[in-house]
Amino acid sequence: MATTVKCTARRMAGGTGHEHISHLWWDRVDESGNVTERGNCTREEMVTYIEKNGNFSVWCPDRNPQLTGAWVHVHNNGRIKYVQTVADGRKTDNLLSLPQK
């Protein structure tokens, strides 16, 4: 497993859906599971990062720690690009389950 980015918190603006995530907090995690860097970015910055690095570069844990998390993908609602997790080929709400900041 390569170094990945793990989402840890979110900020919402103007609504409650995935397209309203305005900021994400993250940890960069190496192959051993060690956090090498922490930061935050806007939704647009995260979209750009995933488009550059691929659908297996950013993930989000499940609210149940016994379950595997899901990869974060870029989606488009016709107006804006936004991020949402995908597990087993279906969209999930892992990002909306993150703590808010």
Side-chain angles (χ1 to χ4, degrees):
M1 179 173 148
T3 300
T4 59
V5 172
K6 172 186 172 185
C7 295
T8 59
R10 65 187 163 96
R11 178 173 294 154
M12 306 297 284
T16 59
H18 287 91
E19 65 274 17
H20 299 288
I21 295 172
S22 65
H23 291 77
L24 286 166
W25 278 255
W26 50 265
D27 292 343
R28 189 172 312 278
V29 181
D30 68 16
E31 297 88 4
S32 302
N34 299 314
V35 175
T36 60
E37 182 182 1
R38 287 193 161 98
N40 68 74
C41 62
T42 65
R43 175 187 65 238
E44 294 85 359
E45 290 169 329
M46 185 60 77
V47 164
T48 299
Y49 182 86
I50 294 168
E51 288 180 334
K52 178 182 176 189
N53 294 285
N55 284 334
F56 301 103
S57 59
V58 179
W59 64 284
C60 182
D62 194 274
R63 74 179 92 186
N64 179 345
Q66 304 303 316
L67 298 177
T68 304
W71 293 106
V72 180
H73 292 196
V74 174
H75 300 277
N76 189 328
N77 66 7
R79 292 178 295 122
I80 63 167
K81 290 182 179 180
Y82 63 95
V83 291
Q84 184 172 359
T85 50
V86 175
D88 300 325
R90 62 180 175 77
K91 294 178 181 180
T92 60
D93 292 339
N94 295 49
L95 290 172
L96 296 178
S97 297
L98 290 173
Q100 290 200 62
K101 284 199 174 198

